[in-house]
Amino acid sequence: MKLVKSLLLGSAAGLIAVSGAQAADLPVKAKAVEYVRICSLYGAGFYYIPGTDTCIKLGGYVRADALANTNGDYSIGQGAPQGGKNRLSGYYTTRARMDFTVDTRTATEYGVVRTYADMVFSYDTPSVTGTANGATTAPTGAASLGLYHAFIQFAGFTFGRTVSIFDAPWQSYPAGGPDFLPGGTNWVTGINQVAYTADFGQGITGSVALQDQSTGANGQSNLWNASVVGVAGGVGGFATAAAAGAAMIQGQYGVSAWGGTRVPDIVGSVRVDQAWGLFQLSAVAHNIHSGYYGTTELTGHPDDKWGWAVQGALSIKNIPTGAGDSINLQAVYTDGASHYNFQSLFPQTLFMYGGSGVAYQSLAFAGIADGVFGTGTGIDTVKTWGFRGGYTHNWAPGWASGIYGAYASLRYGDTGKALICANFAAGLAPSAGATCNPDFNLAVIGGNIVWTPVKGLAFTTDVSYVWLDQKYSGTISGANTANAAVAKPAATYELKDQGNLQVLFRAQRNF
């Protein structure tokens, strides 16, 4: 009996020991999963980042473009290779692009803290750039990356990269259309800046900014040093008159001789944005700081100058032609700040060839600059004016169309013209009675139709025509008329206005 009792007690003790060991091995109970929650504070598409009070929205688009009669996506149809109008220029080009945006917002005692980034990934049709010894050079284009926006907003301030406060809200797309419309700025690809915006209520705001002009899509416009310095190389102008002539036919009227950065552009704007539409007035002061007259600092330099620009923009909404219809208009005047008219996505030198009944071919070229100087002169600023506008009409649910136009004019000063035309006469052997005048006008007109079969998916067809109204006349000839970039031989060329027609087909899915 004692034996049985001992066995039972031992078994019980063993079971308790085993049970205790098993209990010690059990996992700790997991915390409840925190699912992503919708954040309704800032509109559709925002969610709380798990474990934080910050809301985030991911977005962007995927786009496929095909264009006819141009070698670049929405490019103007000039320069190398398209401006040559020969076997080097393509009849079409394509692009595939993904745009990805990240928008975060956090409510604080100082107001909303926001960050925003916009990254672009593209693949374009490679484009031949010229010939060398009978062989084509390496193509340009193909894959590219871009950062359009990356900024922080806090208590009315913006720090980082985004559009300029000088811009109209529609950038350079008053009714859709191509990237290259003149008549105002277009920092759609961003510019580095520090800005402050004050909200006065009832849709009235005022903004001031310091922005780094050198960080735009194509940097600054040109600052021509049109001197012929008589030595090879260097940054102080052309080495010879022949070099000046060879560059001029590509729209390069001098060496672009900017010095280092000194003062950022000082920008201000006032906007009224209400149910009827929008009005905005913008102004900028732009420092022009050059390098040296010659190839060393001993040659001296011109004094700095200030350029400026002013722009007005007007949008009229809900006009009688239909719900959602709109008219967008803007006009700009610049003096020593040409990039605020011939904007960041507009080429700063142009050349286009065509046919001729009196010479081998015809040619138009033009150069855009903030100013011109030569040895011993000051900076002669360049003046421009321009306007652009568009009308958008909604025909039916899912169908809309737009028409748009732009016109811009550039005028060099007397000193600048004298320097440029001295190089023209010495380097290009103009015919008797030929006229040298680097001034020009440029016009763009076009229209589009957009079909949106489902929300976020659009198919666009856009047709545009560009006309370069240059002011040179007569013919040029001699060795310096050869243009290797587009396989043009030394010959006699008629100086004549040129144009280009292009068509865009686009499919885009926004998400």
Side-chain angles (χ1 to χ4, degrees):
M1 195 65 172
K2 288 183 179 180
L3 179 60
V4 172
K5 186 176 181 180
S6 298
L7 289 172
L8 290 173
L9 289 173
S11 300
L15 288 171
I16 292 171
V18 171
S19 298
Q22 289 175 340
D25 291 339
L26 287 175
V28 177
K29 184 177 181 181
K31 293 182 179 180
V33 175
E34 183 176 0
Y35 294 98
V36 176
R37 295 179 294 131
I38 294 174
C39 174
S40 58
L41 297 174
Y42 311 110
F46 281 90
Y47 296 86
Y48 284 101
I49 298 175
T52 75
D53 57 357
T54 296
C55 299
I56 187 169
K57 180 180 181 179
L58 306 178
Y61 62 80
V62 174
R63 172 188 293 174
D65 288 353
L67 297 97
N69 201 37
T70 180
N71 281 186
D73 193 277
Y74 258 174
S75 71
I76 203 168
Q78 64 82 39
Q82 183 62 36
K85 301 292 195 304
N86 59 15
R87 294 182 65 85
L88 299 183
S89 58
Y91 288 171
Y92 70 91
T93 191
T94 64
R95 167 178 287 174
R97 166 173 286 180
M98 178 182 175
D99 179 279
F100 182 62
T101 61
V102 182
D103 190 347
T104 72
R105 307 189 195 192
T106 307
T108 74
E109 58 185 304
Y110 299 100
V112 176
V113 176
R114 183 190 185 198
T115 66
Y116 185 84
D118 182 3
M119 297 148 281
V120 177
F121 313 88
S122 302
Y123 194 96
D124 292 9
T125 299
S127 179
V128 173
T129 58
T131 60
N133 299 322
T136 58
T137 63
T140 61
S144 63
L145 303 176
L147 179 66
Y148 286 177
H149 305 269
F151 63 81
I152 301 167
Q153 287 182 326
F154 173 69
F157 286 93
T158 298
F159 307 93
R161 183 177 185 82
T162 187
V163 299
S164 172
I165 64 170
F166 193 93
D167 289 353
W170 51 86
Q171 307 303 133
S172 69
Y173 314 101
D179 292 329
F180 53 76
L181 292 187
T185 52
N186 180 28
W187 298 108
V188 69
T189 56
I191 185 168
N192 291 4
Q193 62 187 277
V194 176
Y196 177 76
T197 298
D199 189 340
F200 302 109
Q202 297 183 337
I204 302 173
T205 58
S207 302
V208 293
L210 300 177
Q211 64 184 37
D212 184 357
Q213 177 84 350
S214 65
T215 65
N218 292 326
Q220 304 187 89
S221 189
N222 297 294
L223 175 57
W224 299 131
N225 180 348
S227 300
V228 173
V229 297
V231 295
V235 296
F238 290 117
T240 63
M248 184 171 290
I249 60 171
Q250 296 189 31
Q252 185 177 341
Y253 293 158
V255 174
S256 193
W258 286 100
T261 56
R262 290 295 183 270
V263 183
D265 284 10
I266 304 167
V267 191
S269 68
V270 176
R271 181 184 296 185
V272 179
D273 192 350
Q274 298 175 345
W276 60 266
L278 173 144
F279 175 75
Q280 179 177 315
L281 185 64
S282 308
V284 62
H286 171 60
N287 180 246
I288 306 174
H289 175 80
S290 75
Y292 297 100
Y293 288 126
T295 56
T296 74
E297 59 191 27
L298 297 177
T299 59
H301 58 81
D303 293 335
D304 287 12
K305 268 196 170 183
W306 281 91
W308 57 274
V310 61
Q311 175 181 264
L314 175 67
S315 178
I316 304 173
K317 303 176 184 177
N318 300 318
I319 57 180
T321 55
D325 290 6
S326 63
I327 296 175
N328 296 324
L329 304 167
Q330 66 191 107
V332 65
Y333 183 87
T334 76
D335 184 351
S338 299
H339 227 183
Y340 288 88
N341 183 2
F342 295 95
Q343 40 99 356
S344 61
L345 298 182
F346 192 94
Q348 299 300 293
T349 58
L350 303 90
F351 67 85
M352 303 169 72
Y353 288 84
S356 174
V358 299
Y360 172 70
Q361 287 178 1
S362 62
L363 169 65
F365 52 85
I368 301 168
D370 288 346
V372 184
F373 68 91
T375 302
T377 77
I379 296 172
D380 189 17
T381 58
V382 176
K383 298 172 176 60
T384 81
W385 60 268
F387 64 86
R388 61 186 175 220
Y391 165 61
T392 300
H393 176 62
N394 292 277
W395 296 96
W399 289 93
S401 63
I403 56 173
Y404 54 85
Y407 187 88
S409 181
L410 182 145
R411 298 291 180 264
Y412 283 90
D414 291 341
T415 299
K417 283 184 179 178
L419 289 165
I420 292 168
C421 289
N423 291 339
F424 174 83
L428 291 175
S431 60
T435 300
C436 174
N437 186 350
D439 299 343
F440 71 91
N441 306 316
L442 187 135
V444 184
I445 190 170
N448 53 62
I449 186 166
V450 183
W451 177 42
T452 307
V454 296
K455 183 178 180 180
L457 176 65
F459 298 92
T460 301
T461 299
D462 189 289
V463 180
S464 61
Y465 184 75
V466 179
W467 183 252
L468 175 57
D469 173 22
Q470 53 91 55
K471 302 302 178 182
Y472 296 98
S473 68
T475 63
I476 55 174
S477 58
N480 300 329
T481 61
N483 188 348
V486 285
K488 297 296 181 181
T492 299
Y493 293 89
E494 179 186 7
L495 301 175
K496 183 179 178 182
D497 299 347
Q498 304 290 340
N500 187 69
L501 176 72
Q502 62 179 273
V503 181
L504 164 78
F505 303 98
R506 168 173 291 168
Q508 180 166 318
R509 172 72 163 111
N510 296 332
F511 59 89

